[in-house]
Amino acid sequence: MPDPLPSPFWASRPGGKVWVQGPAWTEPTNLFTLVVLPPGNRKSEVYKHMTAPIRAAESILVEQAKPVIAEAVIARRVAEAHAEKTEKAAASAVDADQRAAALDEATTARLALDETAVPAEPCLFSDDATVERLTSHLSEQGGRFAILSPEGEIFSIAAGRYSGAPNFAVLKSGHAGEEMRIDRMGRASERIPAATITLGICTQPGVLTRLGETPQFLEQGLLGRLLYSVPKSLLGYRDPNPEPIPAHITDAYRANVTALILSLHALSEPATVRFAPDAEVAALDLLTETEPRFRPGTGDLAHMTDWGGKYVGAVLRIAALLHLAEHFRDGWDRPISLATFQNARQIGEYFTVHAQAAYDAIGADPAVADARALLEWIERTATTQFSARDVLSSLRRFKKVADLNPGLRILESHGWIRRIPTAPKTGRGRKAGPLYETHPDTTSATR
């Protein structure tokens, strides 16, 4: 399966520059990814190597921009001096005709000054930024910016570390490529026609579990925008003297990612990449196949529809990124092949499994926590068959039978239990409640 980890790093530039045409909508090509590993797994070292070509491209862009910025600074000073001169002339004019002509000239000079902007120095990403600074970065950098970090500081900032209240509207807009209009007291208004943010965060399990401590992250959809990777830690099994990455692979990665960033930067207008006809059919098939997965009781995504609702769009974005990685000099002028879409779908399946594990760890959905409690009870008691009343008599977290239903549905959808058909009621008395039998492997389940 293609490795999903590199995407957020080299994808820091396609977002906003290249969009992908879906079955009935378009998606930007930025991603929000969260890789979770305990301390000691050398996340910082990997991060350094992954971002090296982005830093190299940024240095090249800074050098290229220096004469442009210098010229703009001079033009701005000249425009300021001319505007000041014409305004003084208009203020000192005595004759009505002279005053009118001077006012026209002053107005023209002021408009010319307003249009003489000094571009910001190119900056592709930051590893830590307040919400306000991130918004300013977007405004300065043409609506495109990335937060790439071996830590998870952006989430504590979004949760309100500095503001005292959760504030992550810029992340929501920046994931979708939406227009942003920001007005603040004492600062110039900022208008961003299509804000696109890339998140590439490598962090520790504690940061993942704490995401559930901010209810707004779930309620307002931030958790559903993240692509989670929760790989198994190799601590205790690492090779003390591993083979280094072959030089030709490192060189090719750096050269190709740098070339991709520079070629995308040179695009004067955003481009939209489309799928080849057979790939477009495959995308429609994925959309059709995904919909039943949201159905209560049977769908494996029924308890995380916020994430699942963005799943197909994420696969389209990944397909576009894989396409650009393969055709990094002119991919926006070529259709995405069926093979590339199939690779993206494999990566999407990887992220789906990991998102399910992440939601379990976060406890973002109360039904997931209930299912986990039920599964732990089944393992602990080694029960092979049970009724709802058996659970109520043992687990005090459930007050009535109805409280069990969400957790039972999740266990059913994942195959840990199945409902035993009950015989039709005959005679008087209360109808017997449903019985469930457990999967033979449940007592040795690993989650």
Side-chain angles (χ1 to χ4, degrees):
M1 179 181 295
D3 180 8
L5 182 57
S7 297
F9 295 93
W10 60 258
S12 60
R13 210 54 186 171
K17 279 287 189 175
V18 179
W19 293 62
V20 58
Q21 179 65 54
W25 72 94
T26 57
E27 294 273 352
T29 52
N30 54 309
L31 299 177
F32 281 14
T33 59
L34 178 63
V35 181
V36 182
L37 273 172
N41 278 276
R42 299 172 181 152
K43 297 188 293 293
S44 296
E45 185 69 12
V46 173
Y47 167 83
K48 180 178 70 176
H49 287 287
M50 297 300 291
T51 57
I54 305 176
R55 297 175 191 274
E58 186 178 76
S59 296
I60 293 172
L61 293 174
V62 168
E63 287 300 314
Q64 292 176 347
K66 281 183 177 178
V68 177
I69 294 174
E71 182 178 348
V73 169
I74 294 172
R76 176 80 182 180
R77 290 174 180 171
V78 170
E80 287 174 344
H82 182 58
E84 184 178 354
K85 178 181 177 181
T86 56
E87 288 169 7
K88 288 181 177 179
S92 60
V94 177
D95 180 81
D97 291 337
Q98 290 180 340
R99 184 182 301 109
L103 281 172
D104 286 343
E105 186 177 3
T107 300
T108 301
R110 175 56 60 178
L111 291 173
L113 172 60
D114 292 341
E115 293 175 359
T116 308
V118 178
E121 182 178 86
C123 181
L124 301 184
F125 74 99
S126 172
D127 60 4
D128 188 9
T130 64
V131 172
E132 291 75 15
R133 187 65 190 115
L134 176 56
T135 304
S136 295
H137 275 308
L138 283 169
S139 179
E140 295 166 357
Q141 302 299 324
R144 300 174 300 278
F145 199 69
I147 298 293
L148 309 177
S149 174
E151 302 297 338
E153 292 299 310
I154 185 65
F155 297 116
S156 61
I157 293 172
R161 188 204 324 180
Y162 299 125
S163 62
N167 181 8
F168 51 94
V170 63
L171 294 179
K172 293 190 295 180
S173 296
H175 180 270
E178 295 175 341
E179 179 187 22
M180 291 187 64
R181 294 171 173 253
I182 303 96
D183 297 294
R184 303 190 190 97
M185 293 291 293
R187 293 182 58 178
S189 298
E190 294 172 314
R191 299 290 183 267
I192 305 170
T196 50
I197 298 173
T198 292
L199 288 187
I201 309 298
C202 304
T203 193
Q204 301 174 11
V207 173
L208 176 65
T209 56
R210 285 195 296 273
L211 292 180
E213 297 175 2
T214 304
Q216 292 87 343
F217 284 174
L218 174 64
E219 295 164 0
Q220 299 183 33
L222 179 60
L223 299 185
R225 288 169 165 83
L226 296 171
L227 297 178
Y228 303 88
S229 177
V230 193
K232 183 178 180 180
S233 172
L234 296 179
L235 283 172
Y237 300 93
R238 294 178 299 176
D239 183 350
N241 187 29
E243 289 289 330
I245 301 173
H248 71 279
I249 293 178
T250 300
D251 293 343
Y253 170 75
R254 292 190 176 188
N256 291 349
V257 172
T258 301
L260 173 63
I261 294 172
L262 296 178
S263 60
L264 287 168
H265 183 80
L267 285 177
S268 57
E269 296 291 336
T272 299
V273 64
R274 300 177 182 274
F275 289 95
D278 53 354
E280 188 175 351
V281 171
L284 281 169
D285 290 343
L286 176 61
L287 197 62
T288 301
E289 294 167 16
T290 302
E291 190 64 24
R293 301 175 73 177
F294 304 139
R295 294 174 183 171
T298 58
D300 64 326
L301 300 178
H303 64 293
M304 46 190 295
T305 54
D306 59 327
W307 191 91
K310 300 185 184 303
Y311 169 66
V312 175
V315 172
L316 299 184
R317 296 184 188 206
I318 293 168
L321 292 173
L322 293 178
H323 174 75
L324 291 173
E326 183 178 1
H327 307 288
F328 53 85
R329 296 187 189 278
D330 62 352
W332 43 91
D333 288 329
R334 298 167 174 249
I336 302 171
S337 69
L338 176 60
T340 298
F341 178 79
Q342 290 171 335
N343 286 337
R345 183 165 180 172
Q346 279 188 282
I347 295 176
E349 292 171 358
Y350 168 96
F351 280 127
T352 300
V353 174
H354 284 248
Q356 290 168 333
Y359 267 55
D360 191 3
I362 294 170
D365 190 332
V368 175
D370 289 346
R372 187 183 185 95
L374 286 166
L375 191 56
E376 289 174 347
W377 174 77
I378 292 170
E379 292 176 333
R380 186 173 66 254
T381 60
T383 187
T384 58
Q385 188 178 108
F386 67 93
S387 68
R389 296 194 177 280
D390 293 332
V391 178
L392 291 177
S393 64
S394 300
L395 294 178
R396 295 184 177 180
R397 68 181 290 143
F398 303 107
K399 305 302 182 185
K400 54 186 182 294
V401 172
D403 296 340
L404 289 168
N405 291 334
L408 290 172
R409 282 198 295 266
I410 290 175
L411 292 184
E412 280 189 277
S413 68
H414 284 77
W416 290 119
I417 64 174
R418 69 178 178 183
R419 187 167 178 164
I420 303 173
T422 55
K425 178 182 178 298
T426 59
R428 309 175 99 184
R430 180 184 299 176
K431 180 181 178 180
L435 291 176
Y436 299 87
E437 63 179 357
T438 63
H439 191 281
D441 294 338
T442 302
T443 55
S444 59
T446 57
R447 301 177 299 285

